[in-house]
Amino acid sequence: MTKISDVAKLAGVSTATVSRILSNPSWGKPETRENVLAAVKELRYKPNALARQLRTQETHTVIVITPNLSNDLFHKIIHSIEQEAAAHGYHVLVADAEGQPSVEEYYLNAIQQRQVDGIISISASAARHLLEKIADHYPLVLVVQSYEECNIPSVKIDNRAASEAITKHLIRIGHRKIAHITSSSDLLLYQERLSGYEKALRDGGIPVDPDLIYRGKGSMDGGFEQMNALLASGKKFDAVTCAGDTIAIGAIAALKARGIRVPQECAVTGFDDIEIAPYFDPPLTTIRQPAEQMGQIAFLKLFSMIKKEKKYDSPTYLPYELVIRKSCGHLL
Amino acid sequence: MTKISDVAKLAGVSTATVSRILSNPSWGKPETRENVLAAVKELRYKPNALARQLRTQETHTVIVITPNLSNDLFHKIIHSIEQEAAAHGYHVLVADAEGQPSVEEYYLNAIQQRQVDGIISISASAARHLLEKIADHYPLVLVVQSYEECNIPSVKIDNRAASEAITKHLIRIGHRKIAHITSSSDLLLYQERLSGYEKALRDGGIPVDPDLIYRGKGSMDGGFEQMNALLASGKKFDAVTCAGDTIAIGAIAALKARGIRVPQECAVTGFDDIEIAPYFDPPLTTIRQPAEQMGQIAFLKLFSMIKKEKKYDSPTYLPYELVIRKSCGHLL
DNA sequence: AAGGTTAATGTAATCGTTTACGTTATGAAT
DNA sequence: ATTCATAACGTAAACGATTACATTAACCTT
């Protein structure tokens, strides 16, 4: 592998000159520039990133930690982080935390070992105090969810309000016995969605019935299983709000398997507006999160922290959108 | 940040001793070990990965290049690569090539700059000669697709045979006028699937009709659009094989939108067996690729190349599985 | 012509490890 | 007691870049 000293030798200059010409477009006299650049081209020189990073103490790389790779919303966000990062000359390392023994360890290792300049955590699942400790020492931004009254920079929608909105829509069009299927994970975002659901019920004068709230895996399998459990319970219900589109899809499949028509006999709503939402039968009524914006803003926040422009920041709330399709039944 | 010399000072030894004790469990006398390890703990020392990598000339990191992150099959593969890599003490860097101006450049940069020890390319889209040139110099493994008679190591299923099998199934249960919707990308894998479809038709004594072959985006949107085009053409058909489950989902949505019942009036098959396949209405008949195995074997191949055990290798063909669900209609 | 400013470049230290090579201590073998 | 092998450890040279500091050259200014 050719190194900078090879280039320097061929161009008849010192390594310092090569380095400067390569990193500062207005440096050196034209003749020298030409020589050096010609040598670079001839030898096909590529700077060794490790050496550079070791010396400059920055990697121009950020790590994105995601609970899994199979969530459509997550990779929309990841993709937009990558776009924005590239625009600033940064690389993105994607870490799939699924199946990782200790997410916390994962978080820290990369940055402590100086392999990345900052962390973006999508839907972080670590304990609050731990995240705060990390944020105290390193640039960290949370996306999709964050803790309340916590000064770790974050970007998200108001999950509670969104969930309330979609539930209120069901009430408005005449549903009363509304169930909720959610994930049993203890992510705050699910608690917030549950809480929005409850608020909508209370505001609509409908008592919250704990027997209509089901928790399980946050996947299609999970939705399928929980809906079967709900059906098996014998409880009556005419609508279900699900805390995610994948859950909703599993739930609808379970209803259909018993010959229950959606939305005529039971309305179902999702959350996230994943790719399949409009193509499913029936198309899902859901909440759309502004994935692109979330990723973009998350990177920009992180970037300004890396550049030491600011350390803390208030959470950014972005607008969500209630997307009404057929799975919730008739509008008024 | 504490460095190795801090540890050495506190433990009263040289940096060489610290380094050796940390990397070789049977080195040094017990007393020294204890001192050093105690110092490490006290100072919370974490080795600087960059410095280590610069010195050892290996990063223990491999890069996985994927055409996009939204394909369920791809992240199953990525996930299994990560699992296997972790078991060998390697990290995985995921590169989403979508929207990248030049995938080729991407391929090379990371490895030329010595940031990774090897490359796994999922469904590579680069030109053959380019891939061969890369493989000549660096460890490279292809997954999901590869070129014929090419000695770049690869892991995949026999796409042609699988496509032939699923098409033959349609013929066996009585379909004659079978269309094919595929991606307009020039990935070999789509050509192979098309070719398997054609072979099945010919073997069944059915002429291949170019007017029944449609190409578009390989997404749900694409399937929707192509099916609409097919319908608009006025051509008669009673079944459609799609080159991917997402295409099939879009296609079915388009059929339903016109009130055409699937599979009664038109059978549809997919490819890949993504998460939603069993939950869709109707559940998709499709080809399951052994994603876990593919990822695992891909990493192992790469690993042996990195360790210089072997350079070239014949492609590994793994068994696929024809998964028959309802979207193709009655079995005999 | 002397002094001063600036541009162009070189020298060598530095980032934080690992490791080849050298030295000393220890103990076994003769 | 001498020799020899081996274990334990230290010294210092890498790895390949960037950059503080020093130097020289060139060009003004008066």
Side-chain angles (χ1 to χ4, degrees):
Chain A
M1 213 64 202
T2 63
K3 42 186 168 176
I4 199 170
S5 58
D6 299 329
V7 176
K9 197 177 296 171
L10 180 60
V13 296
S14 75
T15 63
T17 297
V18 177
S19 173
R20 284 189 278 241
I21 284 189
L22 255 31
S23 63
N24 183 346
S26 69
W27 193 91
K29 58 173 158 181
E31 195 195 327
T32 323
R33 284 195 75 77
E34 276 176 36
N35 285 339
V36 170
L37 294 178
V40 165
K41 189 164 258 175
E42 186 178 337
L43 299 175
R44 293 211 194 85
Y45 168 69
K46 299 271 177 193
N48 179 311
L50 293 175
R52 189 214 303 273
Q53 289 166 11
L54 174 60
R55 172 62 221 234
T56 61
Q57 302 282 57
E58 50 180 21
T59 61
H60 280 242
T61 300
V62 300
I63 188 171
V64 176
I65 297 167
T66 166
N68 62 64
L69 275 175
S70 56
N71 186 315
D72 193 55
L73 172 68
F74 294 169
H75 38 73
K76 272 188 198 149
I77 294 174
I78 293 173
H79 192 246
S80 101
I81 292 174
E82 282 178 334
Q83 300 286 101
E84 194 63 28
H88 290 259
Y90 273 67
H91 284 150
V92 174
L93 212 151
V94 179
D96 176 11
E98 190 177 359
Q100 215 58 33
S102 155
V103 184
E104 291 79 11
E105 200 184 324
Y106 215 85
Y107 271 58
L108 279 167
N109 264 359
I111 195 148
Q112 284 185 339
Q113 301 184 158
R114 302 282 140 172
Q115 305 214 70
V116 301
D117 296 341
I119 306 173
I120 294 177
S121 178
I122 300 183
S123 189
S125 64
R128 174 175 180 152
H129 72 275
L130 188 95
L131 286 174
E132 283 176 333
K133 212 166 71 182
I134 296 174
D136 263 358
H137 297 287
Y138 308 103
L140 168 66
V141 172
L142 307 181
V143 196
V144 176
Q145 79 157 359
S146 68
Y147 294 97
E148 283 164 38
E149 312 202 2
C150 178
N151 52 9
I152 304 174
S154 62
V155 191
K156 57 176 187 169
I157 64 166
D158 185 335
N159 280 289
R160 186 163 190 258
S163 179
E164 185 185 330
I166 203 165
T167 311
K168 281 199 166 153
H169 177 75
L170 287 176
I171 296 173
R172 198 180 318 127
I173 60 181
H175 297 283
R176 292 289 141 192
K177 292 195 280 288
I178 305 175
H180 184 66
I181 301 183
T182 184
S183 162
S184 56
S185 95
D186 53 3
L187 290 188
L188 192 62
L189 125 190
Y190 289 115
Q191 296 172 33
E192 289 171 352
R193 291 178 190 175
L194 172 60
S195 142
Y197 153 83
E198 292 175 340
K199 177 158 189 303
L201 291 187
R202 277 194 303 268
D203 287 1
I206 303 170
V208 173
D209 180 352
D211 291 346
L212 285 177
I213 298 172
Y214 276 75
R215 290 164 229 265
K217 282 184 290 178
S219 58
M220 295 185 195
D221 286 352
F224 191 80
E225 289 163 9
Q226 297 313 306
M227 177 55 86
N228 278 331
L230 175 53
L231 288 166
S233 77
K235 270 272 178 182
K236 295 282 174 212
F237 59 94
D238 53 18
V240 183
T241 55
C242 298
D245 283 348
T246 49
I247 296 176
I249 285 170
I252 293 175
L255 286 167
K256 285 184 176 176
R258 301 238 184 163
I260 300 170
R261 288 171 304 149
V262 180
Q264 295 85 344
E265 298 174 63
C266 178
V268 179
T269 62
F271 212 109
D272 290 346
D273 196 28
I274 64 178
E275 187 189 5
I276 199 178
Y279 292 113
F280 197 66
D281 181 11
L284 296 180
T285 289
T286 189
I287 296 288
R288 177 180 302 155
Q289 303 207 41
E292 290 216 1
Q293 259 194 78
M294 291 171 97
Q296 184 182 17
I297 294 179
F299 179 81
L300 291 175
K301 283 196 181 215
L302 189 68
F303 185 69
S304 79
M305 293 171 76
I306 291 172
K307 293 300 175 196
K308 313 269 189 214
E309 280 162 20
K310 51 172 85 175
K311 184 161 181 187
Y312 290 126
D313 191 27
S314 53
T316 297
Y317 282 92
L318 294 179
Y320 55 86
E321 189 183 340
L322 173 58
V323 180
I324 297 176
R325 299 201 184 91
K326 293 199 179 150
S327 74
C328 64
H330 271 304
L331 182 57
L332 289 178
Chain B
M1 213 63 198
T2 62
K3 41 187 170 176
I4 200 170
S5 58
D6 299 328
V7 175
K9 196 177 296 171
L10 180 60
V13 296
S14 75
T15 62
T17 297
V18 176
S19 173
R20 284 188 277 240
I21 285 188
L22 255 31
S23 63
N24 182 347
S26 69
W27 195 90
K29 59 175 159 184
E31 195 194 326
T32 324
R33 284 196 77 75
E34 275 175 39
N35 286 339
V36 169
L37 294 178
V40 165
K41 189 164 260 174
E42 186 177 337
L43 299 175
R44 294 211 194 84
Y45 169 69
K46 300 270 177 194
N48 180 312
L50 293 175
R52 190 214 301 273
Q53 290 167 10
L54 175 60
R55 172 63 219 230
T56 61
Q57 303 282 61
E58 52 181 21
T59 61
H60 280 242
T61 300
V62 300
I63 188 172
V64 176
I65 296 166
T66 168
N68 62 63
L69 275 175
S70 56
N71 185 315
D72 193 54
L73 173 67
F74 294 169
H75 38 75
K76 271 188 199 149
I77 294 174
I78 293 173
H79 192 245
S80 103
I81 292 173
E82 282 180 333
Q83 299 287 99
E84 194 64 27
H88 289 260
Y90 274 67
H91 284 149
V92 174
L93 211 151
V94 179
D96 177 10
E98 191 178 358
Q100 215 58 32
S102 155
V103 184
E104 291 80 10
E105 199 185 326
Y106 214 85
Y107 271 58
L108 279 168
N109 264 358
I111 196 147
Q112 283 185 340
Q113 302 185 155
R114 303 281 139 172
Q115 305 212 71
V116 301
D117 296 341
I119 306 174
I120 294 177
S121 178
I122 300 183
S123 188
S125 63
R128 174 176 179 151
H129 72 274
L130 188 94
L131 287 175
E132 282 175 334
K133 210 167 73 181
I134 296 176
D136 263 358
H137 297 286
Y138 307 104
L140 168 66
V141 172
L142 306 181
V143 195
V144 176
Q145 79 158 359
S146 69
Y147 294 98
E148 282 165 39
E149 313 202 2
C150 176
N151 52 8
I152 303 174
S154 61
V155 191
K156 57 175 187 169
I157 64 166
D158 184 336
N159 280 288
R160 185 163 191 258
S163 179
E164 186 185 330
I166 203 166
T167 311
K168 282 198 165 152
H169 177 75
L170 286 176
I171 295 173
R172 198 181 317 127
I173 60 180
H175 297 282
R176 292 289 141 190
K177 293 194 281 287
I178 306 175
H180 184 66
I181 301 183
T182 184
S183 162
S184 56
S185 95
D186 53 2
L187 290 188
L188 191 61
L189 125 189
Y190 290 115
Q191 295 173 33
E192 290 170 350
R193 291 178 190 175
L194 172 60
S195 142
Y197 153 83
E198 292 173 341
K199 177 160 191 300
L201 291 187
R202 278 195 302 269
D203 287 1
I206 304 171
V208 173
D209 180 353
D211 289 346
L212 284 178
I213 298 173
Y214 277 75
R215 289 164 229 265
K217 282 184 290 179
S219 58
M220 295 185 195
D221 286 351
F224 191 80
E225 289 162 10
Q226 297 313 305
M227 177 55 87
N228 278 331
L230 175 52
L231 288 166
S233 77
K235 271 273 179 181
K236 294 282 174 212
F237 59 94
D238 55 16
V240 183
T241 56
C242 298
D245 283 349
T246 50
I247 295 176
I249 284 170
I252 293 175
L255 286 168
K256 284 184 176 176
R258 301 239 183 163
I260 300 170
R261 287 170 306 147
V262 180
Q264 295 85 344
E265 298 173 65
C266 178
V268 179
T269 64
F271 211 109
D272 290 346
D273 195 27
I274 64 178
E275 187 189 7
I276 200 178
Y279 292 113
F280 198 64
D281 183 10
L284 296 180
T285 289
T286 188
I287 297 287
R288 179 179 301 155
Q289 302 207 41
E292 291 217 0
Q293 259 193 79
M294 292 171 97
Q296 183 181 17
I297 295 178
F299 179 81
L300 291 175
K301 282 194 182 216
L302 189 68
F303 185 69
S304 80
M305 293 171 76
I306 291 173
K307 295 299 175 196
K308 313 267 188 213
E309 281 162 19
K310 51 173 85 174
K311 185 161 181 188
Y312 290 126
D313 191 27
S314 53
T316 298
Y317 282 92
L318 294 179
Y320 56 85
E321 190 183 340
L322 173 58
V323 181
I324 297 176
R325 298 202 184 91
K326 295 200 177 148
S327 73
C328 62
H330 272 303
L331 181 57
L332 287 178

